[in-house]
């Protein structure tokens, strides 16, 4: 009373398996090389989801699939479609129809949202440069390099890839969101010799080249924009011990 019982009657049907897989339209890579990436053998369970991931990728940067194989070699306009050509008993034959398309050459690379570094400082981290063939691996490496700089929010780094099939080129827009990452550390206490303390200031966007120049990139008393790190620290142990240190680091060298 007051309740409903639901019974599900399932007819699973017949289980199917892969049989012969053939490739058509491929000139850059032979069928053996493509089968090695696809990693599907005769007799494997007919799993369409896994097959599509090994063709088009599963969304992870670490995935290696047929699509990435081509796009790492400049074939951004590559596309393919699997077709079931024959069903014999519980086995299915597939034909992988490929359109490799032309090479895609990088045309323009734009950097948007950067109000923290000089643009050349960001560009030297990029592996996507005008005139180069498009390379998906280089795009992913550029993303990692920019994220590791620490000057931009890694969650909002958006490489916007805009292919143009009419002339075989591609524009890449890097949409960035700046973030400050300077650090200050202060500690203090009291001992037999008096006040014990330490103060450390770390500036992560310092510009040594503009230290004695007039520049619009001065923020407060320090020149900024080259992504160099300047650390100034001092500590004291009452009246018996005092020390100061200054360190400088340029990530490009």
């Amino acid at each position: 009373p007051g309740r409903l019982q639901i019974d599900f009657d399932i007819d699973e049907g017949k289980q199917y398996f892969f049989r012969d897989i053939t490739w058509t339209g491929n000139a850059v890579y032979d069928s053996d090389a493509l089968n090695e990436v696809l990693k599907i053998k005769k007799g494997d369970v007919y799993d369409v989801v896994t097959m599509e991931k090994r063709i088009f990728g599963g969304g992870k940067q670490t995935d290696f699939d047929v699509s990435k194989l081509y796009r790492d070699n400049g074939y951004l306009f590559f596309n393919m479609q699997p077709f079931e050509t024959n069903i014999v008993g519980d086995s299915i034959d597939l034909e992988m129809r490929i359109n490799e398309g032309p090479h895609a050459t990088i045309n323009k690379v734009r950097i948007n949202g950067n109000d923290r570094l000089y643009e050349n400082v960001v560009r030297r981290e990029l592996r996507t440069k005008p005139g180069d063939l498009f390379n998906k691996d280089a795009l992913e490496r550029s993303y990692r390099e920019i994220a590791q700089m620490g000057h931009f929010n890694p969650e909002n780094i958006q490489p916007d890839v805009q292919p143009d099939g009419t002339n075989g080129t591609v524009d890449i827009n890097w949409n960035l969101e700046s973030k400050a990452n300077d650090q200050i550390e202060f500690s203090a206490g009291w001992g037999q010799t008096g006040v014990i303390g330490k103060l450390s200031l770390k500036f992560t966007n310092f510009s040594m080249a503009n230290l004695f120049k007039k520049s619009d990139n001065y923020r407060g008393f320090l020149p900024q924009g080259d992504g160099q790190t300047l650390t100034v620290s001092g500590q004291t142990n009452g009246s018996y011990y005092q020390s100061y240190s200054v360190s400088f680091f340029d990530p490009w060298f």
Side-chain angles (χ1 to χ4, degrees):
R3 297 184 180 274
L4 176 68
Q5 176 175 312
I6 300 177
D7 296 330
F8 291 93
D9 296 325
I10 299 176
D11 180 7
E12 295 180 330
K14 184 188 296 186
Q15 187 178 35
Y16 286 85
F17 303 88
F18 289 101
R19 198 172 73 156
D20 294 330
I21 298 177
T22 58
W23 302 82
T24 60
N26 54 306
V28 179
Y29 300 102
D30 60 28
S31 298
D32 290 338
L34 296 174
N35 280 325
E36 186 176 349
V37 176
L38 189 63
K39 295 181 180 178
I40 293 177
K41 298 179 180 180
K42 186 175 183 178
D44 288 350
V45 174
Y46 189 71
D47 181 353
V48 177
V49 174
T50 298
M51 178 184 66
E52 290 182 347
K53 286 182 178 180
R54 292 176 183 175
I55 295 173
F56 304 110
K60 297 180 180 179
Q61 293 186 353
T62 55
D63 290 342
F64 191 75
D65 49 78
V66 176
S67 174
K68 180 173 172 57
L69 178 67
Y70 274 92
R71 289 172 179 168
D72 280 354
N73 196 23
Y75 290 92
L76 178 61
F77 304 103
F78 156 88
N79 65 77
M80 68 169 290
Q81 187 66 42
F83 286 91
E84 298 175 356
T85 57
N86 196 18
I87 300 177
V88 180
D90 61 356
S91 299
I92 298 176
D93 293 338
L94 287 178
E95 179 181 336
M96 303 295 191
R97 300 177 185 176
I98 295 178
N99 180 9
E100 294 176 333
H103 271 129
T105 303
I106 298 175
N107 181 29
K108 295 180 180 179
V109 178
R110 305 180 183 91
I111 298 174
N112 304 318
N114 170 38
D115 57 3
R116 181 166 173 80
L117 299 172
Y118 291 122
E119 186 162 306
N120 69 293
V121 177
V122 180
R123 286 189 179 274
R124 71 189 183 190
E125 303 295 334
L126 297 180
R127 302 297 182 268
T128 55
K129 299 181 179 180
D132 292 347
L133 289 179
F134 177 83
N135 186 309
K136 187 177 180 182
D137 184 66
L139 186 75
E140 294 170 353
R141 183 180 175 186
S142 297
Y143 168 86
R144 293 193 297 269
E145 295 287 346
I146 294 176
Q148 290 172 2
M149 294 177 73
H151 298 285
F152 305 101
N153 188 342
E155 297 180 356
N156 293 333
I157 298 176
Q158 300 291 338
D160 178 22
V161 179
Q162 298 182 343
D164 186 348
T166 59
N167 55 20
T169 62
V170 56
D171 292 345
I172 302 176
N173 299 319
W174 289 95
N175 299 316
L176 309 177
E177 179 184 296
S178 298
K179 72 170 185 176
N181 57 349
D182 294 335
Q183 300 176 10
I184 180 170
E185 178 185 348
F186 175 74
S187 60
W190 183 265
Q192 293 181 349
T193 58
V195 177
I196 303 173
K198 178 181 180 180
L199 177 64
S200 177
L201 301 175
K202 184 178 182 181
F203 305 97
T204 59
N205 191 23
F206 184 69
S207 176
M208 178 65 75
N210 291 324
L211 183 59
F212 302 106
K213 298 180 182 179
K214 293 183 179 180
S215 172
D216 294 335
N217 276 26
Y218 266 79
R219 293 184 180 178
F221 62 93
L222 288 177
Q224 301 197 11
D226 277 330
Q228 300 162 341
T229 300
L230 176 68
T231 303
V232 181
S233 62
Q235 60 181 7
T236 178
N237 185 11
S239 59
Y240 295 99
Y241 177 78
Q242 295 181 354
S243 69
Y244 307 94
S245 65
V246 177
S247 62
F248 172 77
F249 172 71
D250 189 335
W252 186 244
F253 291 102

